[in-house]
Amino acid sequence: MKNNYDFHALLDDVEFEALAIDIVRVRENLEPNVFRRYPKGRDGGIDGYRYSDNTIIQAKCYKNDFNILKGSLKKEVLKLRNLKPSRYILVTSVGLNKEQQRGIMDLFKGYIHSDEDIIGRIELNEYLADPKFSIIQLKYNNL
């Protein structure tokens, strides 16, 4: 069965950040708690941080509107110049086409290494349909 969750409607910002970190962690076969999380509020462009390799996860939960996401990302890239992560992973509730993904990769050149480091609504739904990710789906009551 194929999922088609509207994450913006189902999860608040804090839950979406936790989901984003869980998806990346399971996808990359990492142990629980390898990404440091921060309390709600101004996060300086970091929703999840792994010290061992200076990786940042940023979660952006918006209605399915690329223009809003793009405006927010233009502000985020300025923060990254100070943080200088070795890798930046973006997880968003917005569905992205190939052109939009390329635009994000260009904006974050040097930080996002491949299109796999951009996880949009379609990819999130595909991950949650995969049995490997079933533990995550159980964790979030609204999914």
Side-chain angles (χ1 to χ4, degrees):
M1 181 176 183
K2 187 168 179 152
N3 295 330
N4 190 22
Y5 296 120
D6 178 354
F7 299 97
H8 180 265
L10 297 173
L11 302 172
D12 65 27
D13 290 344
V14 174
E15 291 171 317
F16 187 76
E17 288 172 9
L19 173 70
I21 291 167
D22 284 340
I23 291 285
V24 172
R25 183 185 57 75
V26 171
R27 178 185 79 172
E28 300 193 6
N29 296 312
L30 300 171
E31 295 296 319
N33 302 317
V34 298
F35 286 99
R36 170 103 168 122
R37 292 195 55 217
Y38 299 96
K40 185 175 179 164
R42 293 187 155 217
D43 58 26
I46 302 172
D47 291 323
Y49 184 71
R50 185 169 58 185
Y51 287 94
S52 65
D53 65 355
N54 197 25
T55 295
I56 291 176
I57 297 175
Q58 183 67 45
K60 293 293 183 187
C61 190
Y62 297 118
K63 289 183 181 179
N64 203 23
D65 186 332
F66 180 72
N67 291 326
I68 293 172
L69 174 65
K70 186 177 177 183
S72 175
L73 293 177
K74 286 180 179 181
K75 295 174 188 171
E76 293 296 331
V77 77
L78 298 175
K79 296 174 191 175
L80 284 188
R81 291 183 181 142
N82 292 328
L83 297 170
K84 297 180 177 86
S86 61
R87 183 178 178 201
Y88 184 82
I89 302 171
L90 172 66
V91 182
T92 181
S93 60
V94 175
L96 303 169
N97 63 37
K98 191 68 171 169
E99 180 181 317
Q100 292 165 333
Q101 282 183 324
R102 283 200 178 128
I104 292 170
M105 287 188 70
D106 288 344
L107 184 63
F108 289 92
K109 194 172 194 96
Y111 302 115
I112 293 179
H113 301 291
S114 77
D115 60 357
E116 290 181 4
D117 287 344
I118 302 171
I119 301 171
R121 179 179 174 173
I122 294 167
E123 293 82 15
L124 284 172
N125 276 295
E126 288 174 351
Y127 285 132
L128 291 171
D130 185 324
K132 177 180 176 182
F133 294 82
S134 62
I135 189 96
I136 293 174
Q137 195 162 14
L138 294 173
K139 185 175 176 181
Y140 300 90
N141 296 331
N142 292 341
L143 301 180

